[in-house]
């Protein structure tokens, strides 16, 4: 057992539904093992600004169902500098923190990787991002809630599209990853799905829309924001030029995908990895992300988790081609 007495917990980067469930799991597991817990507000900025406080069971009462993060979150330019990280470390030591659990995505883990190597403080990461773009876990905290939010929104858009015989171009989050677009596009029966990982074939898109015009009153195209043609607005312009008689509308779902009550899956995932993170620190792990692969808890070094080479399953692309006819 590692000699750890005080675990610091923080959230960083974009918020994701289920982060509060993860905070709750970390705090209560640490207390179960008779450890102190220090909450760090606004991630790395909080370390630099010495914005920390003691946490107990009551600190995380009645938060498992809440979206967002009670610890707040921020991006820190100062932490990117050696001087900023040095100040963060000094403040952590002053607070008695001797281990960290960081909840976030690739930016969070990039900072944690550097910090953990520069200073003698073990860090364990929990995958909190709606993009599901980290290696070392089948799903990230927040992804399930986000895709269900998209499905609910697009189902409502479809009602209007049906009523007016309209084509809707719906943009979802995914600057570097098209996993939200891909799964939700299949789930809502989209005529086309455009994602960053594949080349946008405009001729194929036009063919699908032309074929659908004859026997479908409504049409939905799902576009990830990082799609190569420039997102929903650019795709919308191209479609309007090609099909001037289409009643075309554009809908940007935006940040509603990050909010809302976390789903059961996200709450359970957050609880599992939160418990595993504290136990991993006690077992001597450091500079690793905790995930769940094929139902089992797994550990992945930060440098492997953040490589951004999550591959799109070709079977999903095949399903899109078959079902969009």
């Amino acid at each position: 057992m590692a000699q750890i007495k005080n675990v610091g917990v923080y959230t960083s980067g974009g918020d994701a539904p289920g982060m509060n469930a993860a905070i709750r799991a970390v705090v209560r597991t640490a207390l179960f093992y008779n450890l102190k817990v220090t909450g760090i507000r606004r991630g790395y900025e909080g370390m630099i600004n010495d914005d920390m406080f003691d946490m107990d069971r009551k600190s995380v009462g009645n938060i498992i169902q809440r979206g967002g993060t009670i610890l707040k979150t921020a991006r820190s330019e100062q932490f990117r500098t050696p001087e900023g990280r040095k100040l963060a470390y000094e403040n952590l030591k002053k607070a008695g923190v001797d281990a960290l659990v960081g909840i976030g995505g690739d930016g969070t883990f990039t900072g944690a990787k550097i910090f953990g190597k520069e200073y003698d403080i073990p860090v364990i990461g929990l995958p909190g991002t709606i993009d599901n773009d980290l290696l070392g876990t089948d799903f990230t905290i927040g992804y399930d809630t986000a895709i269900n939010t998209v499905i609910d929104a697009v189902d409502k858009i479809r009602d209007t599209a049906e009523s007016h015989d309209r084509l809707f171009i719906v943009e979802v989050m995914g600057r570097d990853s098209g996993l939200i677009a891909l799964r939700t596009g299949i789930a809502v029966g989209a005529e086309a799905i455009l994602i960053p990982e594949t080349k946008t074939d405009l001729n194929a898109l036009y063919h699908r829309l032309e074929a659908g015009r004859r026997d479908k009153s409504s049409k939905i195209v799902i576009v990830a924001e990082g799609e190569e043609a420039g997102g929903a607005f650019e795709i919308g312009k191209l479609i309007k030029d090609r099909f001037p008689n289409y009643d075309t509308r554009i809908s940007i779902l935006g940040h509603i995908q990050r909010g809302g009550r976390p789903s059961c899956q996200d709450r359970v995932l957050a609880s599992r990895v939160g418990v595993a993170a504290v136990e991993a620190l006690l077992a001597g792990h450091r500079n690793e992300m905790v995930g769940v692969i094929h139902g089992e808890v797994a550990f992945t070094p930060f440098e492997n988790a953040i490589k951004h080479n999550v591959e799109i399953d070709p079977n999903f692309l095949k399903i899109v081609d078959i079902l969009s006819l």
Side-chain angles (χ1 to χ4, degrees):
M1 298 281 285
Q3 294 301 308
I4 292 172
K5 297 180 180 180
N6 188 338
V7 176
V9 58
Y10 64 99
T11 52
S12 177
D15 61 307
M19 280 185 165
N20 281 327
I23 294 167
R24 174 181 180 271
V26 170
V27 170
R28 294 199 169 177
T29 305
L31 295 174
F32 177 84
Y33 286 106
N34 298 314
L35 305 175
K36 286 188 64 177
V37 187
T38 297
I40 303 166
R41 295 186 182 93
R42 295 179 176 84
Y44 297 120
E45 279 289 282
M47 296 180 196
I48 292 170
N49 296 326
D50 199 14
D51 191 1
M52 309 181 205
F53 65 103
D54 293 336
M55 299 188 76
D56 57 21
R57 291 182 62 84
K58 292 183 179 179
S59 302
V60 292
N62 199 32
I63 69 168
I64 194 171
Q65 79 281 7
R66 291 169 55 184
T69 163
I70 64 166
L71 292 178
K72 308 294 184 180
T73 183
R75 304 185 192 278
S76 177
E77 289 301 319
Q78 194 174 353
F79 193 79
R80 297 175 183 269
T81 68
E83 295 79 12
R85 293 191 294 272
K86 183 175 185 294
L87 180 56
Y89 178 74
E90 290 171 350
N91 286 333
L92 289 171
K93 295 288 41 176
K94 183 174 66 175
V97 174
D98 48 20
L100 290 170
V101 176
I103 307 166
D106 61 293
T108 303
F109 297 161
T110 298
K113 178 187 70 172
I114 296 170
F115 194 57
K117 289 182 177 179
E118 287 181 341
Y119 296 99
D120 184 25
I121 186 165
V123 189
I124 294 293
L126 303 186
T129 169
I130 67 169
D131 289 328
N132 202 41
D133 59 350
L134 296 170
L135 291 179
T137 188
D138 291 336
F139 298 103
T140 57
I141 298 166
Y143 176 64
D144 185 68
T145 305
I147 60 177
N148 279 289
T149 297
V150 171
I151 289 171
D152 182 61
V154 177
D155 283 348
K156 292 172 181 175
I157 289 171
R158 175 78 81 173
D159 292 341
T160 291
E162 284 282 346
S163 299
H164 295 272
D165 293 340
R166 284 175 176 162
L167 162 64
F168 269 85
I169 315 296
V170 182
E171 183 177 289
V172 300
M173 283 186 166
R175 184 181 59 203
D176 301 308
S177 171
L179 292 175
I180 292 176
L182 188 59
R183 281 184 179 265
T184 59
I186 292 172
V188 302
E191 274 62 48
I193 304 168
L194 308 180
I195 59 177
E197 291 88 344
T198 61
K199 182 175 177 57
T200 298
D201 187 339
L202 292 174
N203 288 328
L205 173 63
Y206 297 152
H207 176 74
R208 287 182 185 176
L209 295 178
E210 178 64 36
R213 179 162 60 174
R214 293 190 293 269
D215 53 12
K216 293 182 181 180
S217 59
S218 69
K219 288 160 283 292
I220 300 289
V221 175
I222 301 291
V223 181
E225 62 181 315
E227 178 272 336
E228 67 172 3
F233 283 110
E234 290 303 318
I235 291 295
K237 290 177 183 177
L238 293 170
I239 290 175
K240 287 178 181 180
D241 289 342
R242 181 65 177 261
F243 302 104
N245 294 327
Y246 266 9
D247 189 0
T248 304
R249 295 290 188 274
I250 295 169
S251 182
I252 311 295
L253 296 188
H255 285 78
I256 68 166
Q257 295 159 85
R258 283 190 183 171
R261 291 174 176 264
S263 66
C264 177
Q265 178 170 310
D266 277 329
R267 297 184 200 192
V268 173
L269 172 61
S271 298
R272 288 191 71 186
V273 296
V275 171
V278 175
E279 293 182 338
L281 287 170
L282 291 172
H285 288 255
R286 59 193 302 146
N287 295 339
E288 293 179 316
M289 183 196 82
V290 186
V292 175
I293 301 176
H294 302 314
E296 300 294 330
V297 170
F299 297 91
T300 303
F302 285 142
E303 55 264 30
N304 294 337
I306 59 180
K307 283 184 177 177
H308 279 304
N309 58 348
V310 177
E311 295 182 359
I312 295 295
D313 186 341
N315 289 317
F316 279 98
L317 299 176
K318 179 182 178 182
I319 289 170
V320 173
D321 287 336
I322 292 173
L323 299 184
S324 62
L325 293 176

